[in-house]
Amino acid sequence: MTYPLNVDWKRLRYGVEIEFVEGKPLEVELPAGWSMLTNELQVDERGMPSGAELTSPPLAWDEREQIRLMTERLKATGAAANWSCGLHVHVDLSAWGESIIAPLLDAALGTQDALGRLLRTAGHRRMFCPPVTREMRERYAAAPGSNALHNPGRPQSHRCGINARAWYDNGTVEIRYANGSLEYDEIVRTVELCLRWTAAVGAAKALPNEPEALARALGAPAEGYPPPPEPPLWHLERMWLEDALVPVLAPLVTERMPDGEIHTIRPEPGGRLLVEAEDECGAIRRFTARPSARGWELSDCPADT
């Protein structure tokens, strides 16, 4: 395992994470290796938790018809991909090993804007795929490892749009920019782009930071990726409210959960707010918050909430 190394992109194994709403996740027949994560809920048009996340096993390029089979099974139960959903592609890095991580971070700094624009990432989803930063690259140079790739912020900041931290979890790079889709052609084009990009990085190829030029340099399609859906106004208002409340509630969360970062804030009946915070290992802890004459009060949610 070494870097650089030329590897045919069709030889790289990959996995997909397909988020969806509605449907009947528990009734979908799963081939060997596929998983239905029913705790990974999305948001339906009423603002309610919905759907799940379907994940594939490591696949070869000539096994991609499994994706068609599974999206058809999902749609047969009434599932759909809406504005709250994303499509994540994991690409195996075992051909290069850890030696590719630093060059991959450099490639992210140089091409992540073009990659996100090529995949047409919806503006309201950008918060779930923040950019790799130069500070992260410097931390990694000083102390290589998973911790260097955690960039504090809200939410899921360790899962950048080009998530190199996935190497330390499962030996992959995770590319998170694509909007949600249950359309086979859109998903497979996205997979192809991610495979071609990773192979080019592994071969130490210079890549442009402009969408159409990047597609040409990679030999990848310039169009046909999942389109950016328009979220409802109430969802945007919820996001604006969260942005205003995070600086107020974050110190209270930190008192209870020193390594916690606020993940979501949602209104509840009775004038309370449900606050979900995520620790550095990805575990979620729930609180309720409410304003009082003495200021904001934060309480742990009951275990069965």
Side-chain angles (χ1 to χ4, degrees):
M1 297 186 294
T2 185
Y3 172 90
L5 180 67
N6 285 299
V7 179
D8 184 342
W9 65 269
K10 290 184 178 180
R11 292 179 53 203
L12 294 174
R13 299 186 74 82
Y14 63 91
V16 292
E17 298 172 349
I18 302 171
E19 297 177 346
F20 63 92
V21 295
E22 306 297 346
K24 299 176 181 178
L26 295 178
E27 296 182 12
V28 176
E29 181 182 355
L30 300 176
W34 285 77
S35 300
M36 187 70 72
L37 305 183
T38 55
N39 62 328
E40 294 286 344
L41 298 174
Q42 316 314 315
V43 182
D44 68 14
E45 303 308 314
R46 301 170 300 151
M48 300 298 293
S50 179
E53 178 181 280
L54 177 68
T55 66
S56 77
L59 298 172
W61 179 246
D62 61 6
E63 295 176 314
R64 61 192 182 280
E65 282 293 325
Q66 289 190 37
I67 298 173
R68 187 192 301 276
L69 171 68
M70 295 312 300
T71 53
E72 292 303 318
R73 287 181 179 177
L74 285 176
K75 288 189 284 188
T77 72
N82 73 351
W83 47 269
S84 76
C85 302
L87 168 65
H88 308 150
V89 179
H90 286 261
V91 181
D92 180 32
L93 298 178
S94 60
W96 302 277
E98 192 173 10
S99 65
I100 197 178
I101 301 302
L104 192 147
L105 296 173
D106 292 332
L109 289 170
T111 64
Q112 60 191 345
D113 179 64
L115 194 58
R117 289 164 62 194
L118 190 58
L119 287 169
R120 303 173 65 193
T121 311
H124 69 282
R125 292 195 60 255
R126 286 279 181 170
M127 67 189 299
F128 295 104
C129 44
V132 173
T133 66
R134 296 198 178 277
E135 290 75 15
M136 292 171 66
R137 178 65 180 93
E138 292 168 0
R139 288 201 303 268
Y140 190 83
S146 177
N147 290 339
L149 303 180
H150 180 89
N151 188 25
R154 170 186 175 269
Q156 302 184 16
S157 52
H158 55 289
R159 302 181 187 94
C160 294
I162 299 173
N163 176 24
R165 199 182 194 196
W167 162 257
Y168 295 97
D169 296 328
N170 53 38
T172 70
V173 59
E174 178 192 22
I175 299 178
R176 298 171 54 86
Y177 286 119
N179 303 305
S181 178
L182 296 186
E183 299 305 316
Y184 171 78
D185 289 342
E186 293 174 350
I187 296 172
V188 168
R189 286 191 193 98
T190 302
V191 169
E192 178 181 343
L193 175 64
C194 296
L195 293 174
R196 286 180 178 272
W197 182 87
T198 305
V201 172
K205 293 182 179 179
L207 296 173
N209 196 20
E210 191 279 322
E212 291 185 0
L214 179 62
R216 286 194 301 271
L218 295 174
E223 299 178 341
Y225 302 107
E230 187 67 28
L233 178 59
W234 63 259
H235 177 72
L236 295 176
E237 291 174 337
R238 177 185 282 183
M239 291 176 64
W240 300 336
L241 179 62
E242 284 184 324
D243 289 341
L245 288 172
V246 164
V248 177
L249 297 178
L252 300 179
V253 170
T254 301
E255 289 178 4
R256 304 286 189 92
M257 191 178 179
D259 63 345
E261 294 178 0
I262 291 178
H263 191 285
T264 56
I265 302 173
R266 297 288 184 264
E268 287 197 320
R272 299 180 304 174
L273 298 173
L274 174 65
V275 181
E276 293 187 330
E278 183 180 36
D279 67 20
E280 59 186 18
C281 296
I284 296 291
R285 183 173 171 185
R286 294 175 173 83
F287 305 92
T288 57
R290 67 181 185 88
S292 72
R294 298 181 299 277
W296 284 92
E297 298 177 352
L298 192 75
S299 304
D300 282 282
C301 282
D304 59 349
T305 298

